[in-house]
Amino acid sequence: EVQLVESGGGLVQPGGSLRLSCAASGFTFINYAMSWVRQAPGKGLEWVSNINSGGGSTSYADSVKGRFTISRDNAKNTLYLQMNSLKPEDTAVYYCGKSGSVIGPGRSQGTQVTVSS
């Protein structure tokens, strides 16, 4: 059974940083590209970032480019999202999952990020 457990969210002031983690199990992690998506209050899901299976290729939404960095540790079956220079509009529940699959509510619990002074 595929399990994805996000962690690392919290309350942070504008300009601050957080590092999200996604612990994966139930599938061969190293074989899959992975993604982060987010859902802000009252809004739909927004794709944030992708990383290929080896970790050498990444892509980002324009809204986070230059501020967020996706990475992975295939030895630990863990995906990361380093978020710097956070803005109030980054407030959302963040979800991880296999790229190209359904990601979000119902698939994992997500981790809440709140950016507020």
Side-chain angles (χ1 to χ4, degrees):
E1 178 187 0
V2 172
Q3 285 199 323
L4 300 157
V5 180
E6 300 93 342
S7 62
L11 173 63
V12 63
Q13 292 187 341
S17 297
L18 284 173
R19 188 195 196 201
L20 306 185
S21 298
C22 167
S25 61
F27 64 101
T28 307
F29 183 73
I30 196 171
N31 286 350
Y32 290 89
M34 297 292 292
S35 298
W36 287 98
V37 303
R38 65 187 181 184
Q39 186 167 32
K43 297 189 177 181
L45 289 170
E46 176 190 14
W47 168 74
V48 174
S49 183
N50 285 346
I51 187 167
N52 70 341
S53 58
S57 179
T58 59
S59 56
Y60 300 91
D62 287 343
S63 58
V64 307
K65 199 173 295 182
R67 300 188 297 121
F68 290 10
T69 303
I70 191 172
S71 62
R72 64 193 295 162
D73 185 335
N74 285 339
K76 295 182 178 179
N77 289 355
T78 303
L79 178 72
Y80 302 100
L81 187 67
Q82 177 67 44
M83 305 187 297
N84 299 329
S85 302
L86 283 161
K87 304 176 180 180
E89 51 263 44
D90 294 318
T91 294
V93 180
Y94 285 72
Y95 301 90
C96 65
K98 298 178 187 178
S99 297
S101 71
V102 176
I103 303 172
R107 295 287 176 157
S108 60
Q109 90 283 356
T111 187
Q112 175 71 51
V113 172
T114 302
V115 185
S116 175
S117 54

XYZ file of all heavy atoms in Angstrom:
859
model
N 0.844 -1.192 0.000
C 0.000 0.000 0.000
C 0.881 1.244 0.000
O 1.774 1.377 0.821
C -0.898 0.003 1.236
C -1.796 1.230 1.356
C -2.544 1.266 2.677
O -2.374 0.343 3.493
O -3.290 2.231 2.897
N 0.589 2.149 -0.905
C 1.343 3.406 -0.965
C 1.009 4.258 0.248
O -0.160 4.460 0.580
C 1.002 4.173 -2.253
C 1.641 5.558 -2.225
C 1.452 3.388 -3.480
N 2.057 4.717 0.918
C 1.876 5.653 2.030
C 2.786 6.844 1.841
O 3.963 6.693 1.512
C 2.170 4.967 3.367
C 1.072 4.027 3.834
C 1.152 3.735 5.321
O 2.237 3.618 5.879
N 0.011 3.616 5.968
N 2.211 8.012 2.056
C 2.946 9.263 1.947
C 2.636 10.084 3.191
O 1.467 10.356 3.464
C 2.531 10.021 0.691
C 2.772 9.267 -0.620
C 1.867 9.798 -1.722
C 4.238 9.386 -1.034
N 3.670 10.445 3.932
C 3.474 11.171 5.177
C 4.261 12.460 5.125
O 5.503 12.456 5.174
C 3.894 10.333 6.388
C 3.672 11.123 7.678
C 3.126 9.012 6.431
N 3.528 13.578 5.013
C 4.158 14.893 4.966
C 4.357 15.434 6.378
O 3.546 15.156 7.271
C 3.296 15.880 4.179
C 3.038 15.493 2.737
C 1.754 14.702 2.542
O 1.223 14.161 3.529
O 1.267 14.634 1.397
N 5.410 16.212 6.547
C 5.689 16.837 7.842
C 6.526 18.091 7.622
O 7.017 18.334 6.514
C 6.422 15.868 8.768
O 7.675 15.505 8.220
N 6.665 18.870 8.678
C 7.529 20.046 8.623
C 6.807 21.369 8.495
O 7.435 22.426 8.522
N 5.495 21.333 8.334
C 4.752 22.578 8.236
C 4.674 23.299 9.575
O 5.115 22.786 10.603
N 4.093 24.490 9.525
C 3.945 25.273 10.750
C 3.614 26.709 10.448
O 3.286 27.065 9.312
N 3.693 27.524 11.483
C 3.438 28.960 11.373
C 4.783 29.676 11.270
O 5.674 29.462 12.111
C 2.673 29.445 12.594
C 2.461 30.962 12.725
C 1.619 31.485 11.578
C 1.810 31.274 14.075
N 4.913 30.517 10.270
C 6.170 31.238 10.058
C 5.850 32.656 9.620
O 4.818 32.895 8.982
C 7.044 30.502 9.018
C 6.373 30.444 7.665
C 8.435 31.099 8.922
N 6.720 33.580 9.972
C 6.530 34.976 9.564
C 6.924 35.166 8.105
O 7.755 34.415 7.573
C 7.359 35.894 10.451
C 6.889 35.950 11.892
C 7.622 36.998 12.694
O 8.706 37.456 12.313
N 7.044 37.395 13.806
N 6.362 36.166 7.452
C 6.790 36.473 6.071
C 8.301 36.667 6.009
O 8.892 37.281 6.882
C 6.044 37.774 5.763
C 4.811 37.699 6.602
C 5.242 37.037 7.883
N 8.898 36.089 4.977
C 10.339 36.119 4.837
C 11.053 34.950 5.463
O 12.260 34.768 5.253
N 10.328 34.162 6.222
C 10.923 33.023 6.908
C 11.068 31.806 6.015
O 10.771 31.842 4.810
N 11.543 30.719 6.627
C 11.809 29.479 5.894
C 11.205 28.284 6.614
O 11.060 28.289 7.841
C 13.321 29.258 5.763
O 13.936 30.290 5.020
N 10.894 27.272 5.837
C 10.471 25.979 6.350
C 11.012 24.906 5.415
O 11.200 25.149 4.220
C 8.951 25.852 6.407
C 8.193 26.568 7.517
C 6.688 26.440 7.281
C 8.555 26.006 8.884
N 11.211 23.713 5.961
C 11.598 22.558 5.148
C 10.572 21.469 5.355
O 10.420 20.950 6.467
C 12.979 22.047 5.538
C 13.519 20.973 4.588
C 14.687 20.255 5.211
N 15.455 19.508 4.219
C 16.264 18.494 4.532
N 16.391 18.120 5.785
N 16.938 17.873 3.581
N 9.874 21.134 4.285
C 8.891 20.062 4.336
C 9.547 18.736 3.971
O 10.465 18.694 3.153
C 7.743 20.340 3.376
C 7.028 21.680 3.512
C 5.843 21.734 2.551
C 6.596 21.942 4.937
N 9.044 17.680 4.575
C 9.500 16.325 4.256
C 8.306 15.473 3.875
O 7.185 15.709 4.325
C 10.205 15.689 5.454
O 11.360 16.404 5.813
N 8.564 14.474 3.061
C 7.537 13.511 2.647
C 8.162 12.125 2.717
O 9.033 11.795 1.899
C 7.063 13.825 1.241
S 6.069 12.525 0.460
N 7.740 11.347 3.685
C 8.244 9.982 3.829
C 7.366 9.040 3.014
O 6.150 8.986 3.226
C 8.239 9.572 5.293
N 7.971 8.316 2.100
C 7.236 7.451 1.183
C 7.492 5.983 1.502
O 8.610 5.597 1.858
C 7.646 7.748 -0.251
N 6.467 5.168 1.337
C 6.609 3.731 1.516
C 5.551 3.016 0.685
O 4.602 3.642 0.209
C 6.486 3.347 2.989
O 5.222 3.698 3.490
N 5.740 1.716 0.488
C 4.763 0.926 -0.244
C 4.991 0.893 -1.742
O 4.188 0.293 -2.470
N 6.056 1.534 -2.218
C 6.411 1.477 -3.635
C 7.912 1.728 -3.752
O 8.555 2.155 -2.800
C 5.607 2.483 -4.463
C 5.864 3.933 -4.133
C 6.684 4.723 -4.911
C 5.248 4.528 -3.024
C 6.903 6.059 -4.611
C 5.466 5.857 -2.709
C 6.298 6.632 -3.504
N 8.441 1.445 -4.936
C 9.882 1.613 -5.149
C 10.164 3.071 -5.464
O 10.100 3.514 -6.612
C 10.364 0.685 -6.266
O 9.955 -0.659 -5.971
C 11.887 0.717 -6.372
N 10.479 3.819 -4.421
C 10.593 5.275 -4.490
C 11.549 5.722 -5.591
O 11.253 6.662 -6.330
C 11.065 5.775 -3.120
C 11.182 7.269 -2.982
C 10.045 8.060 -2.887
C 12.429 7.878 -2.906
C 10.150 9.442 -2.731
C 12.538 9.252 -2.764
C 11.396 10.034 -2.671
N 12.669 5.059 -5.711
C 13.716 5.489 -6.644
C 13.240 5.410 -8.091
O 13.834 6.019 -8.982
C 14.996 4.664 -6.421
C 16.206 5.339 -7.072
C 14.804 3.234 -6.929
C 17.530 4.701 -6.715
N 12.172 4.706 -8.364
C 11.693 4.530 -9.741
C 10.757 5.634 -10.210
O 10.376 5.652 -11.381
C 10.967 3.187 -9.877
C 11.911 2.010 -9.878
O 13.124 2.163 -9.959
N 11.349 0.816 -9.772
N 10.361 6.527 -9.304
C 9.306 7.474 -9.621
C 9.744 8.927 -9.487
O 10.404 9.312 -8.510
C 8.103 7.247 -8.696
C 7.373 5.968 -8.985
C 7.739 4.780 -8.365
C 6.317 5.938 -9.892
C 7.091 3.601 -8.638
C 5.653 4.768 -10.171
C 6.039 3.598 -9.543
O 5.382 2.432 -9.821
N 9.329 9.742 -10.473
C 9.358 11.185 -10.281
C 8.316 11.544 -9.224
O 7.309 10.851 -9.077
C 9.044 11.891 -11.597
N 8.599 12.608 -8.505
C 7.726 13.018 -7.401
C 7.352 14.489 -7.530
O 8.071 15.274 -8.168
C 8.423 12.776 -6.060
C 8.747 11.326 -5.755
S 7.298 10.289 -5.479
C 6.694 10.959 -3.923
N 6.260 14.832 -6.889
C 5.746 16.205 -6.989
C 5.258 16.710 -5.642
O 4.893 15.920 -4.770
C 4.570 16.257 -7.962
O 4.934 15.884 -9.263
N 5.258 18.017 -5.517
C 4.560 18.715 -4.442
C 3.432 19.531 -5.082
O 3.627 20.172 -6.129
C 5.494 19.665 -3.701
C 6.487 19.024 -2.804
C 7.796 18.751 -3.083
C 6.275 18.588 -1.454
N 8.410 18.161 -2.001
C 7.491 18.052 -0.987
C 5.172 18.588 -0.590
C 7.642 17.530 0.305
C 5.326 18.070 0.684
C 6.537 17.542 1.127
N 2.271 19.508 -4.410
C 1.163 20.382 -4.787
C 0.676 21.038 -3.505
O 1.021 20.603 -2.402
C 0.015 19.619 -5.475
C 0.520 18.882 -6.701
C -0.657 18.647 -4.519
N -0.129 22.082 -3.646
C -0.656 22.745 -2.457
C -2.092 23.191 -2.703
O -2.521 23.352 -3.847
C 0.205 23.940 -2.060
C 0.223 25.084 -3.067
C 1.237 26.141 -2.639
N 1.257 27.266 -3.575
C 2.107 28.290 -3.487
N 3.020 28.342 -2.505
N 2.047 29.279 -4.374
N -2.798 23.382 -1.600
C -4.173 23.853 -1.673
C -4.351 24.963 -0.648
O -4.311 24.710 0.566
C -5.168 22.733 -1.428
C -6.606 23.158 -1.647
C -7.551 21.985 -1.705
O -7.356 20.961 -1.056
N -8.602 22.121 -2.505
N -4.547 26.164 -1.142
C -4.791 27.308 -0.272
C -6.248 27.300 0.178
O -7.105 26.693 -0.480
C -4.457 28.590 -1.021
N -6.544 27.985 1.275
C -7.922 28.010 1.773
C -8.899 28.488 0.709
O -8.708 29.543 0.096
C -7.849 28.991 2.944
C -6.424 28.969 3.369
C -5.622 28.738 2.128
N -9.930 27.695 0.458
C -10.965 28.079 -0.477
C -10.584 28.001 -1.942
O -11.344 28.450 -2.806
N -9.409 27.422 -2.236
C -8.943 27.354 -3.624
C -8.676 25.907 -4.033
O -8.658 25.000 -3.207
C -7.686 28.193 -3.792
C -7.908 29.682 -3.533
C -6.699 30.503 -3.925
C -6.959 31.985 -3.739
N -5.791 32.816 -4.148
N -8.438 25.708 -5.313
C -8.146 24.384 -5.827
C -6.691 24.011 -5.649
O -5.888 24.776 -5.120
N -6.358 22.821 -6.091
C -4.984 22.349 -5.988
C -4.094 23.102 -6.972
O -4.484 23.348 -8.114
C -4.911 20.851 -6.274
C -5.494 19.929 -5.206
C -5.568 18.514 -5.716
C -4.673 19.990 -3.931
N -2.902 23.433 -6.529
C -1.916 24.117 -7.363
C -0.641 23.295 -7.379
O -0.074 22.992 -6.310
C -1.620 25.513 -6.807
C -0.533 26.257 -7.568
C -0.066 27.543 -6.885
O -0.382 27.731 -5.693
O 0.603 28.349 -7.538
N -0.154 22.953 -8.554
C 1.118 22.261 -8.665
C 2.245 23.205 -8.232
O 2.246 24.391 -8.613
C 1.347 21.788 -10.095
C 2.735 21.319 -10.340
C 3.300 20.145 -9.922
C 3.767 22.027 -11.039
N 4.606 20.077 -10.318
C 4.926 21.218 -11.006
C 3.831 23.267 -11.677
C 6.121 21.605 -11.596
C 5.014 23.665 -12.268
C 6.147 22.823 -12.236
N 3.200 22.677 -7.470
C 4.305 23.483 -6.958
C 5.631 23.103 -7.614
O 6.354 23.966 -8.105
C 4.424 23.326 -5.426
C 5.666 24.044 -4.896
C 3.176 23.848 -4.736
N 5.942 21.800 -7.628
C 7.273 21.408 -8.100
C 7.323 19.915 -8.421
O 6.569 19.129 -7.847
C 8.317 21.720 -7.015
O 9.624 21.409 -7.453
N 8.211 19.568 -9.343
C 8.499 18.171 -9.697
C 9.986 17.894 -9.556
O 10.817 18.802 -9.726
C 8.144 17.896 -11.155
C 6.669 17.768 -11.417
O 5.870 17.626 -10.498
N 6.304 17.833 -12.678
N 10.313 16.636 -9.355
C 11.701 16.189 -9.409
C 11.722 14.804 -10.050
O 10.846 13.986 -9.768
C 12.344 16.178 -7.998
C 13.838 15.887 -8.079
C 11.627 15.198 -7.064
C 14.582 16.169 -6.763
N 12.708 14.552 -10.903
C 12.731 13.241 -11.569
C 13.264 12.184 -10.596
O 13.646 12.481 -9.467
C 13.543 13.306 -12.863
C 15.035 13.473 -12.624
O 15.474 13.880 -11.546
N 15.828 13.165 -13.642
N 13.268 10.953 -11.054
C 13.572 9.848 -10.152
C 14.985 9.919 -9.582
O 15.211 9.574 -8.415
C 13.358 8.510 -10.859
O 14.176 8.432 -12.012
N 15.915 10.389 -10.393
C 17.293 10.471 -9.939
C 17.628 11.733 -9.179
O 18.696 11.849 -8.571
N 16.750 12.710 -9.244
C 16.964 13.971 -8.534
C 17.718 15.017 -9.335
O 17.951 16.123 -8.844
N 18.071 14.702 -10.574
C 18.884 15.632 -11.349
C 18.102 16.643 -12.152
O 18.693 17.574 -12.735
N 16.795 16.491 -12.221
C 15.963 17.405 -12.999
C 14.787 17.863 -12.155
O 14.074 17.037 -11.586
C 15.461 16.710 -14.265
O 14.638 17.569 -15.019
N 14.604 19.173 -12.088
C 13.531 19.737 -11.280
C 12.781 20.791 -12.084
O 13.302 21.356 -13.056
C 14.084 20.390 -10.005
O 15.003 21.426 -10.360
C 14.796 19.369 -9.122
N 11.565 21.075 -11.669
C 10.783 22.143 -12.273
C 9.900 22.760 -11.204
O 9.564 22.098 -10.203
C 9.953 21.639 -13.446
O 9.116 20.585 -13.059
N 9.547 24.034 -11.419
C 8.818 24.795 -10.412
C 7.732 25.650 -11.049
O 7.889 26.143 -12.174
C 9.777 25.723 -9.663
C 10.888 25.009 -8.946
C 12.103 24.769 -9.568
C 10.712 24.546 -7.645
C 13.129 24.088 -8.909
C 11.720 23.875 -6.981
C 12.933 23.649 -7.624
O 13.928 22.980 -6.978
N 6.671 25.873 -10.294
C 5.682 26.866 -10.679
C 6.332 28.244 -10.616
O 7.210 28.493 -9.775
C 4.484 26.796 -9.741
N 5.884 29.127 -11.479
C 6.451 30.480 -11.497
C 6.299 31.172 -10.139
O 7.150 31.970 -9.748
C 5.768 31.322 -12.573
C 6.195 30.931 -13.982
O 7.227 30.246 -14.123
O 5.487 31.313 -14.930
N 5.232 30.833 -9.440
C 4.945 31.496 -8.165
C 5.973 31.177 -7.079
O 6.076 31.904 -6.090
C 3.546 31.115 -7.673
O 3.433 29.704 -7.537
N 6.740 30.087 -7.248
C 7.701 29.695 -6.213
C 9.133 29.647 -6.727
O 10.069 29.454 -5.949
C 7.340 28.333 -5.588
C 5.895 28.336 -5.106
C 7.579 27.190 -6.554
N 9.308 29.831 -8.012
C 10.641 29.718 -8.623
C 11.606 30.709 -7.977
O 11.268 31.876 -7.773
C 10.535 29.960 -10.125
C 11.702 29.456 -10.929
C 11.423 29.592 -12.422
C 10.278 28.714 -12.865
N 10.013 28.796 -14.322
N 12.790 30.215 -7.642
C 13.784 31.057 -7.002
C 13.673 31.126 -5.496
O 14.572 31.620 -4.817
N 12.566 30.618 -4.950
C 12.367 30.631 -3.488
C 12.301 29.225 -2.906
O 12.707 29.010 -1.765
C 11.073 31.373 -3.147
C 11.044 32.812 -3.602
C 9.816 33.541 -3.068
N 8.570 32.962 -3.571
C 7.618 32.459 -2.784
N 7.772 32.450 -1.463
N 6.508 31.966 -3.310
N 11.778 28.283 -3.678
C 11.608 26.914 -3.207
C 12.613 25.997 -3.912
O 12.947 26.218 -5.076
C 10.206 26.392 -3.499
C 9.094 27.006 -2.692
C 9.283 28.127 -1.891
C 7.824 26.441 -2.724
C 8.267 28.688 -1.155
C 6.779 26.986 -1.996
C 7.001 28.117 -1.214
N 13.055 24.969 -3.208
C 13.945 23.963 -3.777
C 13.455 22.573 -3.423
O 13.304 22.246 -2.239
C 15.377 24.143 -3.264
O 15.849 25.459 -3.574
C 16.312 23.128 -3.919
N 13.198 21.778 -4.449
C 12.785 20.388 -4.233
C 14.025 19.505 -4.276
O 14.954 19.757 -5.050
C 11.749 19.959 -5.293
C 11.119 18.621 -4.937
C 12.363 19.940 -6.685
C 9.935 18.248 -5.849
N 14.036 18.479 -3.451
C 15.136 17.521 -3.464
C 14.617 16.178 -2.951
O 13.476 16.089 -2.470
C 16.306 18.006 -2.607
O 15.929 18.137 -1.250
N 15.448 15.165 -3.057
C 15.052 13.850 -2.583
C 16.270 13.083 -2.102
O 17.389 13.308 -2.575
C 14.335 13.068 -3.695
C 15.192 12.768 -4.898
C 14.327 12.272 -6.068
N 13.708 10.989 -5.758
C 12.652 10.501 -6.430
N 12.109 11.215 -7.410
N 12.148 9.328 -6.113
N 16.024 12.168 -1.174
C 17.043 11.243 -0.703
C 16.515 9.842 -0.974
O 15.662 9.339 -0.220
C 17.318 11.458 0.784
C 18.464 10.614 1.308
O 18.746 9.551 0.723
O 19.077 11.008 2.317
N 16.967 9.231 -2.040
C 16.435 7.922 -2.425
C 16.837 6.817 -1.439
O 16.154 5.800 -1.339
C 16.888 7.572 -3.834
C 16.128 8.361 -4.892
O 15.039 8.873 -4.634
N 16.701 8.477 -6.079
N 17.918 7.021 -0.721
C 18.317 6.037 0.294
C 17.357 6.043 1.478
O 17.209 5.036 2.168
C 19.734 6.316 0.765
N 16.725 7.189 1.703
C 15.784 7.329 2.826
C 14.332 7.349 2.378
O 13.434 7.553 3.205
C 16.093 8.608 3.602
C 17.450 8.616 4.283
C 17.661 9.897 5.066
C 19.009 9.892 5.789
N 19.226 11.150 6.542
N 14.090 7.170 1.079
C 12.721 7.218 0.539
C 11.992 8.492 0.986
O 10.824 8.442 1.391
C 11.921 5.989 0.978
C 12.373 4.723 0.294
O 13.223 4.742 -0.588
N 11.821 3.596 0.713
N 12.681 9.601 0.894
C 12.125 10.855 1.393
C 12.284 11.962 0.369
O 13.334 12.111 -0.254
C 12.799 11.257 2.716
O 12.628 10.200 3.671
C 12.172 12.526 3.284
N 11.226 12.735 0.228
C 11.165 13.906 -0.633
C 11.164 15.145 0.249
O 10.581 15.127 1.337
C 9.878 13.856 -1.464
C 9.565 15.000 -2.400
C 10.508 14.968 -3.595
C 8.113 14.900 -2.862
N 11.795 16.209 -0.218
C 11.872 17.441 0.561
C 11.413 18.640 -0.267
O 11.447 18.626 -1.493
C 13.319 17.706 1.014
C 13.914 16.601 1.837
C 14.781 15.666 1.272
C 13.611 16.474 3.190
C 15.332 14.647 2.028
C 14.157 15.449 3.949
C 15.015 14.544 3.363
O 15.545 13.523 4.117
N 11.017 19.683 0.450
C 10.754 20.980 -0.171
C 11.281 22.055 0.774
O 10.709 22.277 1.833
C 9.262 21.185 -0.445
C 8.933 22.443 -1.246
C 9.465 22.325 -2.675
C 7.426 22.690 -1.264
N 12.376 22.683 0.379
C 12.926 23.795 1.128
C 12.256 25.071 0.651
O 12.302 25.391 -0.545
C 14.439 23.895 0.928
C 15.084 25.072 1.623
C 15.047 24.963 3.134
O 15.316 23.908 3.702
N 14.713 26.055 3.806
N 11.628 25.770 1.573
C 10.859 26.968 1.225
C 11.490 28.162 1.924
O 11.516 28.217 3.162
C 9.407 26.798 1.653
C 8.755 25.542 1.091
S 6.985 25.455 1.423
C 6.991 25.388 3.195
N 11.984 29.099 1.138
C 12.590 30.305 1.663
C 11.795 31.529 1.226
O 10.967 31.443 0.312
C 14.031 30.438 1.165
C 14.923 29.295 1.605
O 14.724 28.719 2.676
N 15.901 28.966 0.787
N 12.049 32.649 1.869
C 11.377 33.910 1.524
C 9.872 33.719 1.420
O 9.229 34.160 0.455
C 11.937 34.466 0.200
O 13.324 34.657 0.294
N 9.317 33.076 2.412
C 7.891 32.748 2.378
C 7.025 33.999 2.395
O 7.356 35.004 3.037
C 7.542 31.822 3.538
C 7.964 30.366 3.315
C 8.024 29.597 4.626
C 7.000 29.678 2.350
N 5.903 33.897 1.672
C 4.949 34.988 1.551
C 3.598 34.523 2.089
O 3.311 33.315 2.080
C 4.794 35.380 0.077
C 6.088 35.749 -0.621
C 5.837 36.016 -2.103
C 7.116 36.380 -2.830
N 6.865 36.628 -4.278
N 2.744 35.458 2.489
C 1.409 35.060 2.958
C 0.657 34.215 1.926
O -0.096 33.313 2.304
C 0.719 36.397 3.202
C 1.832 37.327 3.558
C 2.986 36.898 2.689
N 0.885 34.465 0.657
C 0.188 33.695 -0.376
C 0.701 32.262 -0.508
O 0.144 31.468 -1.270
C 0.258 34.404 -1.737
C 1.645 34.820 -2.167
C 1.953 36.273 -1.841
O 1.623 36.730 -0.706
O 2.541 36.955 -2.706
N 1.753 31.918 0.210
C 2.206 30.531 0.261
C 1.420 29.708 1.293
O 1.611 28.490 1.377
C 3.695 30.462 0.612
C 4.583 31.066 -0.462
O 4.320 30.813 -1.652
O 5.534 31.789 -0.105
N 0.577 30.369 2.056
C -0.242 29.662 3.040
C -1.127 28.634 2.344
O -1.890 28.971 1.437
C -1.105 30.659 3.822
O -0.246 31.504 4.596
C -2.075 29.937 4.750
N -0.992 27.384 2.759
C -1.717 26.294 2.105
C -1.415 24.998 2.837
O -0.508 24.933 3.674
C -1.290 26.166 0.643
N -2.167 23.968 2.485
C -1.811 22.610 2.865
C -0.981 22.037 1.717
O -1.387 22.107 0.555
C -3.036 21.733 3.125
C -2.601 20.321 3.519
C -3.909 22.344 4.211
N 0.182 21.496 2.047
C 1.108 20.970 1.052
C 1.047 19.445 1.042
O 1.081 18.806 2.095
C 2.521 21.444 1.352
C 2.736 22.893 0.998
C 2.166 23.910 1.762
C 3.496 23.267 -0.102
C 2.332 25.245 1.438
C 3.684 24.603 -0.439
C 3.097 25.579 0.328
O 3.278 26.904 -0.011
N 0.966 18.893 -0.163
C 0.868 17.453 -0.365
C 1.986 16.976 -1.297
O 2.382 17.690 -2.218
C -0.459 17.075 -1.002
C -1.693 17.480 -0.235
C -2.304 18.716 -0.451
C -2.264 16.622 0.703
C -3.440 19.079 0.240
C -3.411 16.984 1.402
C -3.981 18.218 1.162
O -5.111 18.569 1.855
N 2.408 15.738 -1.085
C 3.394 15.135 -1.987
C 2.782 13.910 -2.641
O 1.765 13.361 -2.172
C 4.646 14.741 -1.220
S 4.393 13.441 0.005
N 3.398 13.465 -3.731
C 2.924 12.263 -4.394
C 3.736 11.953 -5.626
O 4.620 12.725 -6.023
N 3.425 10.828 -6.228
C 4.069 10.441 -7.480
C 3.618 11.397 -8.583
O 2.415 11.676 -8.726
C 3.666 9.036 -7.883
C 4.061 7.926 -6.927
C 3.518 6.612 -7.476
C 3.701 5.453 -6.552
N 3.112 4.210 -7.102
N 4.554 11.881 -9.344
C 4.210 12.747 -10.467
C 3.282 12.010 -11.433
O 3.481 10.828 -11.745
C 5.476 13.166 -11.198
O 6.317 13.918 -10.360
N 2.251 12.718 -11.883
C 1.316 12.123 -12.819
C 0.190 11.342 -12.180
O -0.720 10.887 -12.873
N 0.246 11.176 -10.867
C -0.834 10.478 -10.166
C -1.721 11.499 -9.459
O -1.435 12.695 -9.455
C -0.244 9.492 -9.159
O 0.348 10.191 -8.073
N -2.787 11.005 -8.871
C -3.649 11.890 -8.090
C -2.944 12.210 -6.775
O -2.545 11.310 -6.038
C -5.009 11.235 -7.822
C -5.866 12.123 -6.923
C -5.725 10.957 -9.142
N -2.794 13.484 -6.502
C -2.114 13.934 -5.286
C -3.038 14.884 -4.556
O -3.690 15.724 -5.179
C -0.802 14.675 -5.624
C 0.130 13.788 -6.449
C -0.095 15.143 -4.345
C 1.357 14.512 -6.974
N -3.108 14.766 -3.241
C -3.889 15.723 -2.478
C -4.790 15.069 -1.464
O -4.545 13.936 -1.037
N -5.837 15.787 -1.061
C -6.726 15.288 -0.013
C -7.269 13.902 -0.344
O -7.656 13.630 -1.473
C -7.857 16.321 0.009
C -7.256 17.558 -0.543
C -6.259 17.100 -1.562
N -7.260 13.049 0.656
C -7.711 11.680 0.453
C -6.584 10.728 0.117
O -6.697 9.522 0.343
N -5.477 11.266 -0.414
C -4.322 10.434 -0.743
C -3.275 10.500 0.359
O -2.531 9.539 0.568
C -3.711 10.886 -2.061
C -4.641 10.688 -3.237
C -4.763 9.230 -3.595
N -5.724 8.995 -4.660
C -5.698 7.928 -5.430
N -4.762 7.009 -5.282
N -6.616 7.774 -6.367
N -3.180 11.611 1.005
C -2.282 11.783 2.141
C -2.844 12.909 2.998
O -3.762 13.608 2.574
C -0.854 12.098 1.679
O -0.822 13.297 0.924
N -2.277 13.074 4.207
C -2.881 14.036 5.118
C -2.399 15.457 4.879
O -3.048 16.415 5.286
C -2.626 13.629 6.584
C -1.351 14.177 7.215
C -0.097 13.444 6.774
O -0.145 12.466 6.038
N 1.049 13.912 7.250
N -1.266 15.634 4.222
C -0.723 16.951 3.971
C -0.109 17.564 5.217
O -0.208 17.026 6.332
N 0.522 18.704 5.022
C 1.084 19.464 6.139
C 0.751 20.937 5.933
O 0.914 21.481 4.842
C 2.603 19.227 6.285
O 3.075 19.846 7.478
C 3.402 19.730 5.095
N 0.248 21.560 6.991
C -0.233 22.941 6.914
C 0.935 23.910 7.036
O 1.733 23.829 7.983
C -1.244 23.209 8.025
C -1.713 24.652 8.115
C -2.619 25.047 6.974
O -3.594 24.362 6.679
N -2.324 26.165 6.325
N 0.998 24.839 6.106
C 1.962 25.941 6.165
C 1.166 27.240 6.260
O 0.299 27.504 5.422
C 2.861 25.957 4.918
C 3.716 27.218 4.886
C 3.739 24.717 4.882
N 1.447 28.019 7.287
C 0.784 29.297 7.479
C 1.846 30.386 7.571
O 2.738 30.320 8.430
C -0.074 29.299 8.745
O -1.042 28.240 8.655
C -0.804 30.628 8.910
N 1.743 31.355 6.678
C 2.698 32.465 6.656
C 1.960 33.727 7.087
O 1.088 34.222 6.364
C 3.320 32.646 5.264
C 4.399 33.725 5.316
C 3.897 31.324 4.772
N 2.292 34.204 8.262
C 1.563 35.336 8.826
C 2.410 36.024 9.878
O 3.180 35.370 10.593
C 0.246 34.856 9.441
O -0.423 35.919 10.088
N 2.223 37.322 9.974
C 2.912 38.061 11.033
C 2.010 38.198 12.252
O 2.416 38.773 13.266
C 3.334 39.435 10.517
O 2.222 40.125 9.988
